[in-house]
Structures are given as structure tokens and as C-alpha cells.
Coordinates of all heavy atoms in Angstrom, one line a residue:
M1 N 0.8 -1.2 0.0 CA 0.0 0.0 0.0 C 0.9 1.2 0.0 O 1.9 1.2 0.6 CB -0.9 0.0 1.2 CG -2.1 -0.9 1.1 SD -3.2 -0.8 2.5 CE -2.2 -1.9 3.6
P2 N 0.4 2.3 -0.6 CA 1.2 3.5 -0.6 C 1.3 4.2 0.7 O 0.7 3.7 1.7 CB 0.4 4.4 -1.6 CG -0.9 3.9 -1.7 CD -0.8 2.4 -1.4
G3 N 2.1 5.2 0.8 CA 2.3 5.9 2.1 C 1.0 6.5 2.7 O -0.1 6.4 2.1
A4 N 1.1 7.0 3.9 CA -0.1 7.6 4.7 C -0.7 8.7 3.9 O 0.0 9.5 3.3 CB 0.4 8.0 6.0
T5 N -2.0 8.8 4.0 CA -2.8 9.9 3.4 C -3.5 10.7 4.5 O -3.7 10.1 5.6 CB -3.8 9.4 2.4 OG1 -4.7 8.5 3.1 CG2 -3.2 8.7 1.2
P6 N -3.8 11.9 4.3 CA -4.4 12.8 5.3 C -5.7 12.2 5.9 O -5.9 12.2 7.0 CB -4.6 14.1 4.6 CG -3.7 14.1 3.5 CD -3.5 12.7 3.1
L7 N -6.6 11.7 5.0 CA -7.8 11.1 5.4 C -8.1 9.8 4.5 O -7.7 9.8 3.3 CB -9.0 12.0 5.2 CG -9.1 13.2 6.2 CD1 -10.2 14.1 5.8 CD2 -9.3 12.7 7.6
P8 N -8.7 8.8 5.1 CA -8.9 7.6 4.3 C -9.8 7.9 3.1 O -10.8 8.7 3.2 CB -9.5 6.6 5.3 CG -9.9 7.4 6.4 CD -9.2 8.7 6.4
K9 N -9.6 7.2 1.9 CA -10.5 7.4 0.8 C -11.8 6.6 1.1 O -12.8 7.1 0.6 CB -9.8 6.8 -0.5 CG -8.6 7.7 -0.9 CD -8.0 7.1 -2.2 CE -6.8 8.0 -2.6 NZ -6.2 7.5 -3.8
Q10 N -11.7 5.5 1.7 CA -12.9 4.7 2.2 C -12.7 4.4 3.6 O -11.8 3.7 4.0 CB -13.0 3.4 1.4 CG -13.2 3.6 -0.1 CD -13.4 2.2 -0.7 OE1 -13.2 1.2 -0.1 NE2 -13.6 2.2 -2.0
G11 N -13.5 5.1 4.5 CA -13.3 4.8 5.9 C -13.9 5.9 6.8 O -14.7 6.7 6.3
D12 N -13.5 5.9 8.0 CA -14.0 6.8 9.0 C -12.9 7.3 9.9 O -11.8 6.7 10.0 CB -15.0 6.1 9.9 CG -16.2 5.6 9.1 OD1 -16.9 6.5 8.6 OD2 -16.4 4.4 8.9
V13 N -13.1 8.4 10.6 CA -12.2 9.0 11.5 C -12.9 9.2 12.9 O -14.0 9.8 12.9 CB -11.6 10.3 11.0 CG1 -10.6 10.9 12.1 CG2 -10.9 10.1 9.7
F14 N -12.3 8.7 14.0 CA -12.9 8.9 15.3 C -11.9 9.6 16.2 O -10.7 9.3 16.2 CB -13.2 7.5 15.9 CG -14.1 6.7 15.0 CD1 -13.6 5.8 14.1 CD2 -15.5 6.8 15.2 CE1 -14.5 5.0 13.3 CE2 -16.4 6.0 14.4 CZ -15.8 5.2 13.4
F15 N -12.4 10.6 16.9 CA -11.5 11.4 17.8 C -11.6 11.0 19.2 O -12.7 10.6 19.7 CB -11.9 12.9 17.6 CG -11.6 13.4 16.3 CD1 -12.6 13.4 15.3 CD2 -10.3 13.9 16.0 CE1 -12.3 13.9 14.0 CE2 -10.0 14.3 14.7 CZ -11.0 14.3 13.7
D16 N -10.5 11.0 19.9 CA -10.3 10.7 21.3 C -11.1 11.7 22.1 O -10.9 12.9 21.9 CB -8.9 10.7 21.7 CG -8.6 10.2 23.1 OD1 -9.3 10.6 24.0 OD2 -7.7 9.3 23.2
H17 N -12.0 11.3 23.0 CA -12.8 12.3 23.7 C -12.0 13.1 24.8 O -12.4 14.1 25.2 CB -14.0 11.6 24.4 CG -13.7 10.8 25.6 ND1 -13.3 9.6 25.6 CD2 -13.9 11.2 26.9 CE1 -13.1 9.1 26.8 NE2 -13.5 10.1 27.6
T18 N -10.8 12.6 25.1 CA -10.0 13.3 26.1 C -8.9 14.1 25.4 O -8.3 15.0 26.0 CB -9.3 12.4 27.1 OG1 -8.5 11.4 26.4 CG2 -10.4 11.7 27.9
R19 N -8.5 13.8 24.2 CA -7.4 14.5 23.5 C -7.9 14.6 22.0 O -7.6 13.7 21.2 CB -6.1 13.7 23.5 CG -5.5 13.7 24.9 CD -4.2 13.0 24.9 NE -3.3 13.3 23.8 CZ -2.3 12.5 23.5 NH1 -2.0 11.4 24.1 NH2 -1.5 12.9 22.4
P20 N -8.5 15.7 21.7 CA -9.0 15.9 20.3 C -8.0 15.9 19.2 O -8.3 15.7 18.0 CB -9.8 17.3 20.3 CG -9.6 17.8 21.7 CD -8.8 16.8 22.5
D21 N -6.7 16.0 19.6 CA -5.7 16.0 18.6 C -5.3 14.5 18.2 O -4.5 14.3 17.3 CB -4.4 16.7 19.0 CG -3.8 16.1 20.2 OD1 -4.5 15.6 21.1 OD2 -2.5 16.1 20.3
R22 N -5.9 13.6 18.9 CA -5.6 12.2 18.7 C -6.8 11.5 18.1 O -7.9 11.8 18.5 CB -5.2 11.4 20.0 CG -4.8 10.0 19.8 CD -4.2 9.4 21.1 NE -5.0 9.5 22.2 CZ -4.7 9.2 23.4 NH1 -3.5 8.7 23.7 NH2 -5.6 9.3 24.4
S23 N -6.6 10.7 17.0 CA -7.7 10.1 16.4 C -7.3 8.6 16.0 O -6.2 8.2 15.9 CB -8.1 10.9 15.1 OG -7.0 10.9 14.2
L24 N -8.4 7.9 15.7 CA -8.3 6.5 15.2 C -8.9 6.5 13.8 O -10.1 7.0 13.7 CB -9.1 5.5 16.1 CG -9.2 4.1 15.5 CD1 -7.8 3.4 15.6 CD2 -10.2 3.3 16.4
R25 N -8.1 6.2 12.8 CA -8.6 6.1 11.5 C -8.8 4.7 11.0 O -8.0 3.9 11.2 CB -7.7 6.9 10.5 CG -7.5 8.3 10.9 CD -6.6 9.1 10.0 NE -6.4 10.4 10.5 CZ -5.7 11.3 9.8 NH1 -5.2 11.0 8.6 NH2 -5.6 12.5 10.3
L26 N -9.9 4.5 10.4 CA -10.3 3.2 9.9 C -10.4 3.3 8.4 O -11.2 4.2 7.9 CB -11.6 2.7 10.5 CG -12.2 1.4 10.1 CD1 -12.9 0.8 11.2 CD2 -13.0 1.5 8.9
S27 N -9.6 2.6 7.7 CA -9.7 2.7 6.2 C -9.8 1.3 5.6 O -9.1 0.4 6.0 CB -8.5 3.5 5.6 OG -7.3 2.9 6.0
R28 N -10.6 1.2 4.6 CA -10.9 0.0 3.9 C -10.0 -0.1 2.6 O -10.0 0.9 1.8 CB -12.4 -0.1 3.5 CG -13.2 -0.2 4.8 CD -14.7 -0.3 4.4 NE -15.5 0.9 4.4 CZ -15.6 1.8 5.4 NH1 -14.9 1.7 6.5 NH2 -16.5 2.8 5.3
H29 N -9.3 -1.2 2.4 CA -8.5 -1.4 1.3 C -8.9 -2.7 0.6 O -8.3 -3.7 0.8 CB -7.0 -1.4 1.6 CG -6.5 -0.1 2.2 ND1 -6.0 0.9 1.5 CD2 -6.5 0.3 3.5 CE1 -5.7 1.9 2.3 NE2 -6.0 1.6 3.5
S30 N -10.0 -2.6 -0.2 CA -10.6 -3.8 -0.8 C -9.6 -4.4 -1.8 O -9.6 -5.7 -1.9 CB -11.9 -3.5 -1.5 OG -11.7 -2.5 -2.4
D31 N -8.7 -3.6 -2.4 CA -7.7 -4.2 -3.3 C -6.7 -5.1 -2.6 O -6.3 -6.1 -3.2 CB -7.0 -3.1 -4.1 CG -6.3 -2.1 -3.1 OD1 -6.8 -1.9 -2.0 OD2 -5.3 -1.5 -3.5
A32 N -6.4 -4.8 -1.3 CA -5.5 -5.6 -0.6 C -6.2 -6.6 0.4 O -5.6 -7.4 1.0 CB -4.6 -4.7 0.2
G33 N -7.6 -6.4 0.5 CA -8.3 -7.3 1.4 C -8.1 -7.1 2.9 O -8.2 -8.0 3.7
V34 N -7.8 -5.8 3.2 CA -7.6 -5.5 4.6 C -8.3 -4.3 5.0 O -8.7 -3.4 4.2 CB -6.1 -5.3 4.9 CG1 -5.3 -6.6 4.7 CG2 -5.5 -4.1 4.2
V35 N -8.5 -4.2 6.3 CA -9.0 -2.9 7.0 C -7.8 -2.4 7.8 O -7.2 -3.2 8.6 CB -10.2 -3.2 7.9 CG1 -10.6 -2.0 8.6 CG2 -11.4 -3.7 7.0
V36 N -7.4 -1.2 7.6 CA -6.3 -0.6 8.3 C -6.8 0.3 9.4 O -7.6 1.2 9.2 CB -5.3 0.1 7.4 CG1 -4.2 0.8 8.2 CG2 -4.8 -0.8 6.3
L37 N -6.3 0.0 10.7 CA -6.6 0.9 11.8 C -5.3 1.6 12.1 O -4.2 1.0 12.2 CB -7.0 0.0 13.0 CG -8.2 -0.9 12.9 CD1 -8.3 -1.9 14.1 CD2 -9.4 -0.1 12.8
S38 N -5.4 2.9 12.1 CA -4.2 3.7 12.4 C -4.5 4.7 13.5 O -5.6 5.3 13.6 CB -3.7 4.4 11.2 OG -4.7 5.2 10.6
I39 N -3.5 4.9 14.4 CA -3.6 5.9 15.5 C -2.8 7.1 15.1 O -1.6 7.0 14.8 CB -3.2 5.3 16.8 CG1 -4.1 4.1 17.1 CG2 -3.1 6.3 17.9 CD1 -3.6 3.4 18.4
W40 N -3.4 8.3 15.1 CA -2.8 9.5 14.8 C -2.7 10.5 15.9 O -3.6 10.5 16.7 CB -3.6 10.2 13.6 CG -3.5 9.4 12.3 CD1 -4.1 8.2 12.1 CD2 -2.8 9.8 11.2 NE1 -3.8 7.9 10.8 CE2 -3.0 8.8 10.2 CE3 -2.0 10.9 10.9 CZ2 -2.4 8.9 9.0 CZ3 -1.4 11.0 9.6 CH2 -1.6 10.0 8.7
S41 N -1.6 11.2 16.0 CA -1.5 12.3 17.0 C -1.1 13.5 16.3 O -0.1 13.6 15.6 CB -0.4 11.9 18.1 OG -0.3 12.9 19.0
G42 N -2.0 14.5 16.3 CA -1.9 15.7 15.4 C -1.9 15.2 14.0 O -2.8 14.4 13.6
G43 N -1.0 15.5 13.2 CA -1.0 15.0 11.8 C 0.0 13.9 11.5 O 0.3 13.6 10.4
V44 N 0.4 13.2 12.6 CA 1.4 12.2 12.5 C 0.9 10.8 12.8 O 0.3 10.6 13.9 CB 2.7 12.5 13.4 CG1 3.7 11.4 13.3 CG2 3.2 13.9 13.1
C45 N 1.0 9.9 11.9 CA 0.6 8.5 12.2 C 1.6 7.9 13.2 O 2.8 7.8 13.0 CB 0.6 7.7 10.9 SG 0.0 6.0 11.1
Q46 N 1.0 7.3 14.3 CA 1.9 6.7 15.4 C 2.0 5.2 15.2 O 2.9 4.6 15.7 CB 1.3 7.1 16.7 CG 1.3 8.6 17.0 CD 2.6 9.2 17.0 OE1 3.6 8.7 17.6 NE2 2.8 10.4 16.4
A47 N 0.9 4.6 14.7 CA 0.9 3.1 14.6 C -0.2 2.7 13.6 O -1.2 3.4 13.5 CB 0.6 2.5 16.0
T48 N 0.0 1.6 13.0 CA -1.0 1.0 12.1 C -1.1 -0.5 12.4 O -0.2 -1.1 12.9 CB -0.7 1.2 10.6 OG1 0.5 0.5 10.3 CG2 -0.5 2.6 10.2
F49 N -2.3 -1.0 12.1 CA -2.6 -2.4 12.2 C -3.4 -2.8 11.0 O -4.5 -2.2 10.7 CB -3.4 -2.7 13.5 CG -3.7 -4.2 13.7 CD1 -2.8 -5.0 14.3 CD2 -4.9 -4.7 13.2 CE1 -3.1 -6.4 14.4 CE2 -5.2 -6.0 13.4 CZ -4.3 -6.9 14.0
Q50 N -3.0 -3.8 10.3 CA -3.7 -4.3 9.1 C -4.5 -5.6 9.5 O -3.9 -6.6 9.7 CB -2.7 -4.6 7.9 CG -2.0 -3.4 7.4 CD -1.2 -3.7 6.2 OE1 -1.4 -4.7 5.5 NE2 -0.2 -2.8 6.0
L51 N -5.8 -5.4 9.5 CA -6.7 -6.5 9.9 C -7.2 -7.2 8.6 O -7.8 -6.5 7.8 CB -7.9 -5.9 10.7 CG -9.0 -6.9 11.1 CD1 -8.4 -7.8 12.2 CD2 -10.2 -6.2 11.6
P52 N -6.9 -8.5 8.5 CA -7.4 -9.2 7.3 C -9.0 -9.1 7.2 O -9.7 -9.2 8.2 CB -7.0 -10.6 7.5 CG -5.8 -10.5 8.4 CD -6.1 -9.3 9.3
G53 N -9.5 -8.8 6.0 CA -10.9 -8.7 5.8 C -11.8 -9.8 6.4 O -12.8 -9.6 7.0
E54 N -11.3 -11.0 6.3 CA -12.1 -12.2 6.8 C -12.1 -12.2 8.3 O -13.0 -12.9 8.9 CB -11.5 -13.5 6.3 CG -10.1 -13.8 6.7 CD -9.0 -13.3 5.8 OE1 -9.3 -12.5 4.8 OE2 -7.9 -13.7 6.0
Q55 N -11.3 -11.4 9.0 CA -11.4 -11.3 10.5 C -12.2 -10.1 11.0 O -12.4 -9.9 12.2 CB -10.0 -11.2 11.1 CG -9.2 -12.5 10.9 CD -7.8 -12.4 11.5 OE1 -7.5 -11.4 12.1 NE2 -7.0 -13.4 11.2
A56 N -12.7 -9.3 10.1 CA -13.4 -8.1 10.5 C -14.7 -8.3 11.3 O -14.9 -7.7 12.3 CB -13.8 -7.2 9.2
S57 N -15.5 -9.3 10.9 CA -16.7 -9.7 11.7 C -16.3 -10.1 13.1 O -17.0 -9.7 14.1 CB -17.5 -10.8 11.0 OG -17.9 -10.4 9.8
A58 N -15.3 -10.9 13.3 CA -14.9 -11.3 14.6 C -14.4 -10.1 15.5 O -14.7 -10.0 16.7 CB -13.8 -12.4 14.5
F59 N -13.7 -9.2 14.8 CA -13.2 -8.0 15.5 C -14.4 -7.2 16.0 O -14.4 -6.7 17.1 CB -12.4 -7.2 14.6 CG -11.9 -5.9 15.2 CD1 -10.7 -5.9 16.0 CD2 -12.5 -4.7 15.0 CE1 -10.3 -4.7 16.5 CE2 -12.1 -3.5 15.5 CZ -11.0 -3.5 16.3
V60 N -15.4 -7.0 15.1 CA -16.6 -6.2 15.5 C -17.3 -6.9 16.7 O -17.7 -6.2 17.6 CB -17.5 -6.0 14.3 CG1 -18.9 -5.4 14.7 CG2 -16.9 -5.1 13.3
E61 N -17.5 -8.2 16.6 CA -18.2 -8.9 17.7 C -17.4 -8.7 19.0 O -18.0 -8.5 20.1 CB -18.3 -10.4 17.4 CG -19.3 -10.7 16.4 CD -19.5 -12.2 16.1 OE1 -19.3 -13.0 17.1 OE2 -19.7 -12.6 14.9
A62 N -16.1 -8.9 19.0 CA -15.3 -8.7 20.2 C -15.4 -7.3 20.7 O -15.5 -7.0 21.9 CB -13.8 -9.0 19.9
F63 N -15.4 -6.3 19.8 CA -15.5 -4.9 20.2 C -16.8 -4.6 20.9 O -16.9 -4.0 22.0 CB -15.3 -4.0 19.0 CG -15.4 -2.5 19.3 CD1 -14.3 -1.9 19.8 CD2 -16.5 -1.8 19.0 CE1 -14.4 -0.5 20.1 CE2 -16.6 -0.5 19.3 CZ -15.5 0.2 19.9
L64 N -17.9 -5.1 20.3 CA -19.2 -4.9 20.9 C -19.4 -5.6 22.2 O -20.1 -5.1 23.1 CB -20.3 -5.3 19.9 CG -20.4 -4.4 18.7 CD1 -21.4 -5.0 17.7 CD2 -20.8 -3.0 19.0
S65 N -18.8 -6.7 22.4 CA -18.9 -7.5 23.6 C -18.1 -6.9 24.8 O -18.3 -7.2 25.9 CB -18.6 -9.0 23.5 OG -17.2 -9.1 23.2
T66 N -17.2 -6.0 24.5 CA -16.3 -5.4 25.5 C -16.7 -4.0 25.9 O -16.1 -3.3 26.6 CB -14.8 -5.4 25.2 OG1 -14.7 -4.7 23.9 CG2 -14.3 -6.8 25.0
S67 N -17.8 -3.5 25.2 CA -18.2 -2.1 25.5 C -18.7 -2.0 27.0 O -19.3 -2.9 27.5 CB -19.4 -1.7 24.6 OG -19.0 -1.7 23.3
P68 N -18.4 -0.8 27.6 CA -18.8 -0.6 29.0 C -20.4 -0.8 29.1 O -21.1 -0.2 28.2 CB -18.4 0.8 29.3 CG -17.4 1.1 28.3 CD -17.7 0.3 27.1
P69 N -20.9 -1.5 30.0 CA -22.3 -1.7 30.1 C -23.1 -0.5 30.4 O -24.2 -0.3 29.8 CB -22.5 -2.8 31.2 CG -21.2 -2.7 32.0 CD -20.2 -2.2 31.1
H70 N -22.7 0.4 31.2 CA -23.4 1.6 31.6 C -22.5 2.8 31.6 O -22.3 3.5 32.6 CB -24.0 1.4 33.0 CG -24.9 0.3 33.1 ND1 -26.1 0.2 32.4 CD2 -24.8 -0.9 33.8 CE1 -26.7 -1.0 32.7 NE2 -26.0 -1.7 33.5
A71 N -22.0 3.1 30.4 CA -21.1 4.2 30.3 C -21.8 5.5 30.5 O -23.0 5.7 30.0 CB -20.4 4.2 28.9
A72 N -21.2 6.4 31.2 CA -21.9 7.7 31.4 C -21.9 8.5 30.1 O -21.0 8.4 29.3 CB -21.0 8.6 32.4
P73 N -23.0 9.2 29.8 CA -23.0 10.0 28.6 C -21.9 11.0 28.4 O -21.5 11.6 29.4 CB -24.4 10.7 28.7 CG -25.1 10.2 29.8 CD -24.1 9.4 30.7
V74 N -21.3 11.0 27.3 CA -20.2 11.9 27.0 C -20.5 12.7 25.7 O -21.0 12.1 24.8 CB -18.9 11.0 26.8 CG1 -17.7 11.9 26.4 CG2 -18.5 10.2 28.0
T75 N -20.2 14.0 25.8 CA -20.3 14.8 24.6 C -19.1 14.5 23.7 O -18.0 14.6 24.1 CB -20.4 16.3 24.9 OG1 -21.4 16.5 25.8 CG2 -20.5 17.1 23.7
R76 N -19.4 14.0 22.5 CA -18.4 13.6 21.6 C -18.3 14.5 20.4 O -19.3 15.1 20.0 CB -18.6 12.2 21.1 CG -18.8 11.2 22.2 CD -18.5 9.8 21.7 NE -18.8 8.7 22.7 CZ -18.0 8.4 23.7 NH1 -16.9 9.0 23.8 NH2 -18.4 7.4 24.5
P77 N -17.1 14.7 19.9 CA -16.9 15.5 18.7 C -17.6 14.9 17.5 O -17.9 13.7 17.5 CB -15.4 15.6 18.5 CG -14.8 14.5 19.2 CD -15.8 14.1 20.3
E78 N -17.8 15.6 16.5 CA -18.5 15.1 15.3 C -17.6 14.1 14.6 O -16.4 14.2 14.6 CB -18.6 16.3 14.3 CG -19.3 15.9 13.0 CD -19.4 17.1 12.1 OE1 -19.2 18.2 12.5 OE2 -19.8 16.8 10.9
I79 N -18.2 13.0 14.1 CA -17.5 11.9 13.4 C -17.5 12.3 12.0 O -18.5 12.5 11.4 CB -18.2 10.6 13.7 CG1 -18.1 10.2 15.1 CG2 -17.5 9.5 12.8 CD1 -18.9 8.9 15.5
F80 N -16.3 12.3 11.4 CA -16.2 12.6 10.0 C -16.2 11.3 9.2 O -15.3 10.5 9.3 CB -14.9 13.4 9.7 CG -14.9 14.7 10.3 CD1 -14.4 15.0 11.6 CD2 -15.6 15.8 9.7 CE1 -14.4 16.2 12.2 CE2 -15.6 17.0 10.3 CZ -15.0 17.3 11.5
R81 N -17.2 11.1 8.4 CA -17.2 9.9 7.6 C -16.9 10.3 6.1 O -17.6 11.0 5.5 CB -18.6 9.3 7.7 CG -19.0 8.9 9.1 CD -20.2 8.0 9.1 NE -20.5 7.7 10.5 CZ -20.0 6.7 11.2 NH1 -19.1 6.0 10.7 NH2 -20.4 6.5 12.5
T82 N -15.8 9.7 5.7 CA -15.4 10.1 4.3 C -16.1 9.3 3.2 O -16.1 9.7 2.1 CB -13.9 9.8 4.2 OG1 -13.6 8.5 4.4 CG2 -13.1 10.7 5.1
G83 N -16.7 8.2 3.6 CA -17.5 7.4 2.6 C -16.6 6.9 1.5 O -15.4 6.6 1.7
E84 N -17.1 6.8 0.3 CA -16.3 6.3 -0.8 C -16.2 7.3 -1.9 O -17.1 8.0 -2.3 CB -17.1 5.1 -1.4 CG -16.3 4.4 -2.6 CD -17.0 3.2 -3.1 OE1 -17.8 2.6 -2.4 OE2 -16.6 2.8 -4.2
Y85 N -15.0 7.6 -2.3 CA -14.7 8.5 -3.3 C -14.1 7.8 -4.5 O -13.2 7.0 -4.4 CB -13.7 9.6 -2.8 CG -14.3 10.4 -1.7 CD1 -14.0 10.1 -0.4 CD2 -15.1 11.5 -1.9 CE1 -14.6 10.8 0.7 CE2 -15.6 12.3 -0.9 CZ -15.4 11.9 0.4 OH -15.9 12.6 1.4
H86 N -14.6 8.1 -5.7 CA -14.1 7.5 -6.9 C -12.9 8.4 -7.4 O -13.2 9.6 -7.7 CB -15.2 7.4 -7.9 CG -16.3 6.5 -7.5 ND1 -16.2 5.1 -7.4 CD2 -17.5 6.8 -7.0 CE1 -17.3 4.6 -7.0 NE2 -18.1 5.6 -6.7
T87 N -11.8 7.9 -7.5 CA -10.6 8.7 -7.9 C -10.4 8.5 -9.4 O -9.5 9.1 -10.0 CB -9.3 8.3 -7.1 OG1 -9.1 6.9 -7.3 CG2 -9.5 8.6 -5.7
Q88 N -11.1 7.5 -10.0 CA -10.9 7.3 -11.5 C -12.1 7.9 -12.2 O -13.2 7.7 -11.7 CB -10.8 5.8 -11.7 CG -9.7 5.1 -11.0 CD -8.3 5.5 -11.5 OE1 -8.2 5.8 -12.7 NE2 -7.3 5.6 -10.6
P89 N -11.9 8.5 -13.3 CA -13.1 9.1 -14.1 C -14.0 8.0 -14.6 O -13.6 6.9 -14.8 CB -12.5 9.9 -15.2 CG -11.0 9.6 -15.2 CD -10.7 8.9 -13.9

């Protein structure tokens, strides 16, 4: 895959509720068959993880089963969803 891009072409960006300069970016790379999770601080990528597409369902199930049962309501920043952008005419 090419180098880091400012925002995923297909994916979402989630901001840390305690540090708005930190974000988790989720980008889909159907050509490579992976979902990439990357942690950003400011404009710098700190870490990436390439999750094979066939493990995505198991990841989501694990994530949902570990959510806090009675989390206190938190005001969250807006979630920027980049959706899908066609880069070819």
C-alpha cells in the first residue's frame, strides 16, 4: 500500500474524547483485502494495524462485547465519515 494519506479514501475517523488531537482512522482497502486501523496524534501517524478482511466480523463482535455496560453519557466531537470517493473518471 502507498504511504499515509491525510484522510482515508474509504473509511472513518474517530476522535479521542480526552485528546481531540488524537484520532483513530479506519480505512478499507478492498484491493489488498484488509482494513487498516491507524492511530494519529496531530498530523502524524503513530501506529498501524492491518486487519485481514475475513477477520473483520470477529473483530466487531469482540469490540461490541467489551463495551462498557453503563457508560456515562459523554459529549463527543463530530465523526467525519469520508465514505467512498471515486478517484478514477
